[in-house]
């Protein structure tokens, strides 16, 4: 990792210290005539009753609650206990009748045909949804899939509801797409700077996820992005100031959990300063313990103080916190010594995906889940081969490396969370709940207003912006069209052109991509000759990027050029000759439409940089500091 001067932030103050609807109509169709809740109550010996009368208190406040859950655990077989620890992917839009291609994928990767078979064979405690696994086609399908999963779970002997999760960070990571409401991502919210907006976005997003049967969201990102070269976090972070990030994390935790969805702060102990993507390599964070305390720890402390339900681990090495060379996911000094004992956290700890290279570099797939549990993990997320991981944990208990009591500790935390979320009372969702909650006009309007407060104007030489519809009516929109985060938005150039046309311009899109060829650049230059102004969407521009060549050639036409960074705001450092530059921090429709309104002068730019932008020719010098942002 390259060395760099860390920004100066105030030290931590003081030492580290602890700090639906009713039963779904599907129940009535069961041949036995016995409700799932009745079966659950019989299996749990009144465990289902813990959710009656409101959210159950934590263990310190209600020992009787834990006693009921422990009684439930005592009835489980060892195999059932092992299964409760796993959260697994599964292909298909239906729990029992997926498409044949998804059946084939399930057989190849998991050895089962369907989600229902997965649950019956491994008794997994949770399932994670992905768009690429075809779990999230549309809201009613997602709700039906969730109900099918819950029916399969409760149909088992001593059946339990499952904790269904997904990565719905918004911005550049979103598994559920339109017509659900999509919000600006973390760095955009950081640019907006409003805790009220961050909390409101979390509350609305949480309410929509809950209506779909998704009760654990792997958000917010609590990493502090102090490294502009970070390839895996970047705009997924709220920014580079740990105190500002802490405020936004706490606000989002309260928003999500106020909607009865478990929030998940990630990636502990902090993935913000890396130049390696842990999906493909093993990052090493060279912070000293003091730097970790100043830069990385504050957002996690804030999340814990806000009552965070779950925390996700990072597949990173932090030698100052654990010199063993183990990834944090497998580190007892980090997860038990720091997270549990020093920070006082006793909620659920979930691994990042166990299929990522960062956790597989040092140990085999059979050792990783066992070592994670020994380190202090509760939920084992998405192992590459479930049979290998599941049997490894089973054999570790039978062989004495893990005790059954250790499993019981994690299962108790998981069941506490399921009870808190109301899953032990009624895990089902209804079509009516979907219709009255997901993508409502009020939610969509809220997303538009929040997005307007995030668009950041970095450069505006000669008052080029806002564009005049009288003198700059014909606008050519060129640039990158990266794939939609959710598969349901974009392409960006078309979204921008449509939005500008609706605002009174005559805008024409021309996609030039993230690496435009000489021929494509020539086409864009020719088209620019017929326009009054050019809007170019940039995506991760580098010193040698052909996007830089494109922008230079467009400027040479003499037409006014407005550039819009649709991912990292650092692009502006490589394009010093652009007269007007804005940042949206993502390319989803809600952010692009808001930027179009700013460009047209319908809304004043209000965003402020939540990260510093260094000079391209001298990274030790800051071009635009945190807080920079122009208005009209």
């Amino acid at each position: 990792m390259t060395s760099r001067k860390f920004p100066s932030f105030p030290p931590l103050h003081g030492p580290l210290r602890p700090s639906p609807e009713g039963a779904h109509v599907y129940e009535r169709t069961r041949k036995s005539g016995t409700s799932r809740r009745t079966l659950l109550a019989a299996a749990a010996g009144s465990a289902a009753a813990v959710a009656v009368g409101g959210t159950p208190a934590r263990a310190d406040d209600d020992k009787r609650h834990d006693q009921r859950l422990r009684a439930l655990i005592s009835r489980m077989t060892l195999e059932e206990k092992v299964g409760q620890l796993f959260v697994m992917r599964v292909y298909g839009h239906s729990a029992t009748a997926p498409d044949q291609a998804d059946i084939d994928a399930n057989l190849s990767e998991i050895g089962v045909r369907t989600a229902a078979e997965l649950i019956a064979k491994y008794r997994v405690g949770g399932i994670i949804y992905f768009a690429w696994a075809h779990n999230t086609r549309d809201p009613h399908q997602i709700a039906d899939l969730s109900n099918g999963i819950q029916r399969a779970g409760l149909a088992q002997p001593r059946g339990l509801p499952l904790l269904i999760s997904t990565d719905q960070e918004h911005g550049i990571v979103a598994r559920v797409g339109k017509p659900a409401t999509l919000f600006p991502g973390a760095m955009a919210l950081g640019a907006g700077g409003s805790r009220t907006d961050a909390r409101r976005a979390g509350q609305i997003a949480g309410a929509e996820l809950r209506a779909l049967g998704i009760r654990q969201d792997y958000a917010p990102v609590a990493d502090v992005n102090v490294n502009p070269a970070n390839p895996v976090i970047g705009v997924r972070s709220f920014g580079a100031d740990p105190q500002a990030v802490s405020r936004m994390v706490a606000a989002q935790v309260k928003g999500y959990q106020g909607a009865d969805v478990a929030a998940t702060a990630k990636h502990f102990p902090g993935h913000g300063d890396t130049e390696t993507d842990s999906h493909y390599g093993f990052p090493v964070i060279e912070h000293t313990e003091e730097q970790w305390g100043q830069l990385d720890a504050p957002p996690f402390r804030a999340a814990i103080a806000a009552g965070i339900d779950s925390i996700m681990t990072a597949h990173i090495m932090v030698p100052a916190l654990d010199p063993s060379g183990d990834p944090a996911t497998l580190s007892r000094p980090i997860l038990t010594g720091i997270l549990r004992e020093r920070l006082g956290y006793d909620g659920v700890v979930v691994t990042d995906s166990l299929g990522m290279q960062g956790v597989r570099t040092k140990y085999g797939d059979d050792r990783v889940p066992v070592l994670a549990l020994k380190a202090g993990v509760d939920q084992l997320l998405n192992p590459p081969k479930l049979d290998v991981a599941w049997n490894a944990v089973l054999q570790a208990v039978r062989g004495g490396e893990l005790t059954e009591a250790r499993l019981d500790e994690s299962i108790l935390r998981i069941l506490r969370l399921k009870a808190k979320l109301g899953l032990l009372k009624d895990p089902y969702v209804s079509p009516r709940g979907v219709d009255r909650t997901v993508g409502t006009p009020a939610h969509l309007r809220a997303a538009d207003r929040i997005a307007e407060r995030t668009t950041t104007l970095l450069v505006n030489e000669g008052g080029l912006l806002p564009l005049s519809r009288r003198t700059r009516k014909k606008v050519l929109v060129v640039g990158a069209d990266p794939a939609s985060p959710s598969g349901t938005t974009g392409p960006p150039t078309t979204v921008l052109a449509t939005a500008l046309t609706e605002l009174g311009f005559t805008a024409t899109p021309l996609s030039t991509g993230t690496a435009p060829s000489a021929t494509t650049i020539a086409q864009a230059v020719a088209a620019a000759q017929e326009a009054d102004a050019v809007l170019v969407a940039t995506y991760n521009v580098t010193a040698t990027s052909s996007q830089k060549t494109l922008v230079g050639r467009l400027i040479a036409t003499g037409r006014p050029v407005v550039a819009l960074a649709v991912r990292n705001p650092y692009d502006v450092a490589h394009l010093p000759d652009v007269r007007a530059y804005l940042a949206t921090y993502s390319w989803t429709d809600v952010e692009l439409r808001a930027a179009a309104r700013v460009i047209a002068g319908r809304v004043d730019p209000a965003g402020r940089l939540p990260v510093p932008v260094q000079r391209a020719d001298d990274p030790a010098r800051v071009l635009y500091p945190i807080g920079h942002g122009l208005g009209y």
Side-chain angles (χ1 to χ4, degrees):
M1 173 174 295
T2 59
S3 64
R4 124 190 110 261
K5 182 179 179 181
F6 289 100
S8 176
F9 298 110
L12 291 174
H13 298 289
L16 296 174
R17 61 185 186 274
S19 45
E21 298 261 305
H24 194 273
V25 67
Y26 289 141
E27 291 183 10
R28 303 172 192 164
T29 67
R30 291 188 52 81
K31 294 181 180 179
S32 66
T34 304
S35 76
R36 294 292 84 215
R37 283 183 289 173
T38 301
L39 289 178
L40 178 59
S46 80
V50 299
V52 175
T55 301
R58 295 297 296 262
D60 290 343
D61 301 323
D62 191 349
K63 294 181 179 179
R64 289 177 297 177
H65 165 62
D66 271 8
Q67 289 171 352
R68 295 187 183 108
L69 296 180
R70 287 192 176 98
L72 179 57
I73 295 169
S74 71
R75 294 176 173 88
M76 294 182 188
T77 66
L78 176 58
E79 291 78 5
E80 290 166 354
K81 290 181 178 181
V82 171
Q84 275 296 301
L85 305 174
F86 284 94
V87 180
M88 190 60 185
R89 69 189 179 280
V90 65
Y91 291 86
H93 70 287
S94 164
T96 55
D99 295 339
Q100 186 61 49
D102 292 323
I103 292 174
D104 294 341
N106 286 329
L107 287 170
S108 173
E109 295 186 17
I110 315 173
V112 298
R113 294 166 51 86
T114 67
E117 289 183 12
L118 167 67
I119 294 163
K121 182 173 182 179
Y122 290 105
R123 299 302 297 272
V124 293
I127 284 179
I128 179 172
Y129 286 170
F130 291 104
W132 52 258
H134 310 138
N135 304 139
T136 57
R137 291 181 177 177
D138 65 75
H140 283 286
Q141 168 269 317
I142 299 170
D144 288 343
L145 173 60
S146 298
N147 285 332
I149 286 169
Q150 301 297 3
R151 286 197 303 277
L154 293 175
Q156 306 306 314
R158 296 163 299 280
L160 285 170
L162 282 82
L163 190 53
I164 298 172
S165 61
T166 198
D167 291 284
Q168 190 77 353
E169 298 173 13
H170 293 271
I172 72 167
V173 177
R175 312 302 189 195
V176 179
K178 294 193 300 185
T181 305
L182 296 173
F183 284 93
M187 193 169 285
L189 291 173
S194 168
R195 283 177 282 179
T196 299
D197 282 352
R199 183 169 183 166
R200 180 63 173 153
Q203 189 276 327
I204 293 174
E208 296 198 9
L209 290 175
R210 189 183 191 281
L212 302 174
I214 300 169
R215 303 302 294 275
Q216 184 179 25
D217 189 15
Y218 297 138
V221 170
D223 304 315
V224 181
N225 200 73
V226 297
N227 189 343
N230 194 323
V232 64
I233 303 301
V235 295
R236 298 168 63 196
S237 164
F238 288 106
D241 179 344
Q243 304 307 323
V245 172
S246 297
R247 292 189 290 270
M248 302 303 280
V249 165
Q252 287 242 287
V253 169
K254 292 176 181 177
Y256 280 113
Q257 294 187 181
D260 290 330
V261 167
T264 307
K266 61 187 188 185
H267 306 80
F268 190 83
H271 209 317
D273 188 6
T274 176
E275 294 174 11
T276 302
D277 186 339
S278 52
H279 290 86
Y280 310 108
F282 186 17
V284 179
I285 307 297
E286 299 288 2
H287 290 182
T288 65
E289 187 169 359
E290 181 181 7
Q291 287 168 338
W292 176 80
Q294 292 180 346
L295 295 172
D296 303 296
F300 292 100
R301 293 189 67 190
I304 293 168
I308 189 75
D309 282 331
S310 55
I311 291 178
M312 179 178 284
T313 68
H315 302 326
I316 59 175
M317 185 199 310
V318 189
L321 304 183
D322 179 1
S324 70
D326 286 343
T329 297
L330 310 182
S331 170
R332 185 169 179 83
I334 291 175
L335 297 187
T336 296
I338 295 177
L339 181 57
R340 294 228 187 265
E341 295 174 359
R342 289 173 62 185
L343 297 184
Y345 177 67
D346 192 38
V348 170
V349 174
V350 56
T351 71
D352 207 341
S353 170
L354 297 183
M356 293 167 59
Q357 191 60 34
V359 79
R360 303 173 74 191
T361 299
K362 188 174 179 181
Y363 301 99
D365 292 337
D366 59 335
R367 294 299 298 154
V368 166
V370 175
L371 294 173
L373 291 170
K374 293 176 74 172
V377 159
D378 301 307
Q379 290 184 305
L380 301 163
L381 176 62
N382 202 25
K385 293 292 183 182
L386 180 58
D387 59 339
V388 171
W390 190 91
N391 280 296
V393 174
L394 184 66
Q395 294 307 316
V397 177
R398 288 176 173 168
E401 184 178 7
L402 288 171
T403 66
E404 198 163 346
R406 169 65 191 89
L407 269 58
D408 292 351
E409 292 175 11
S410 287
I411 296 167
L412 178 60
R413 291 190 187 99
I414 294 166
L415 291 184
R416 281 177 188 158
L417 182 52
K418 290 182 178 182
K420 176 187 177 184
L421 297 173
L423 289 169
L424 298 185
K425 178 183 177 182
D426 182 8
Y428 296 106
V429 294
S430 73
R432 182 185 177 197
V434 172
D435 290 337
R436 71 183 187 183
T437 307
V438 179
T440 64
H443 288 178
L444 295 173
R445 285 194 299 271
D448 281 337
R449 299 292 85 77
I450 290 171
E452 287 174 351
R453 293 187 279 270
T454 68
T455 305
T456 307
L457 179 60
L458 302 175
V459 179
N460 193 22
E461 294 180 1
L464 175 58
L465 293 179
L467 288 182
S468 167
R469 286 176 294 171
R470 294 186 297 274
T471 60
R472 312 288 188 195
K473 188 174 182 64
K474 294 176 63 177
V475 180
L476 174 67
V477 182
V478 303
D481 274 334
S484 166
S486 65
T488 62
T489 64
T493 54
T494 299
V495 172
L496 288 165
T498 300
L500 288 172
T501 297
E502 291 172 351
L503 292 167
F505 295 87
T506 302
T508 303
L510 175 61
S511 178
T512 50
T514 57
S517 66
T519 299
T520 300
I521 291 172
Q523 291 173 340
V525 168
Q529 305 286 354
E530 306 301 320
D532 299 319
V534 180
L535 173 61
V536 55
T538 68
Y539 181 96
N540 293 1
V541 176
T542 65
T544 59
S545 170
S546 58
Q547 292 182 69
K548 185 175 179 179
T549 304
L550 168 68
V551 175
R553 291 283 304 280
L554 290 171
I555 292 172
T557 66
R559 298 296 189 271
V561 174
V562 178
L564 181 69
V566 298
R567 184 165 179 165
N568 291 329
Y570 313 114
D571 288 5
V572 66
H574 295 283
L575 301 168
D577 296 326
V578 173
R579 288 176 55 193
Y581 216 123
L582 305 100
T584 63
Y585 312 95
S586 183
W587 59 95
T588 49
D589 293 4
V590 67
E591 289 158 293
L592 298 176
R593 290 195 305 265
R597 291 192 291 275
V598 169
I599 291 167
R602 297 295 182 91
V603 176
D604 288 342
R608 299 293 181 264
L609 275 176
V611 294
V613 174
Q614 279 95 3
R615 289 177 56 123
D617 58 349
D618 185 0
R621 296 175 62 188
V622 172
L623 179 64
Y624 299 114
I626 291 176
H628 173 76
L630 306 176
Y632 290 153

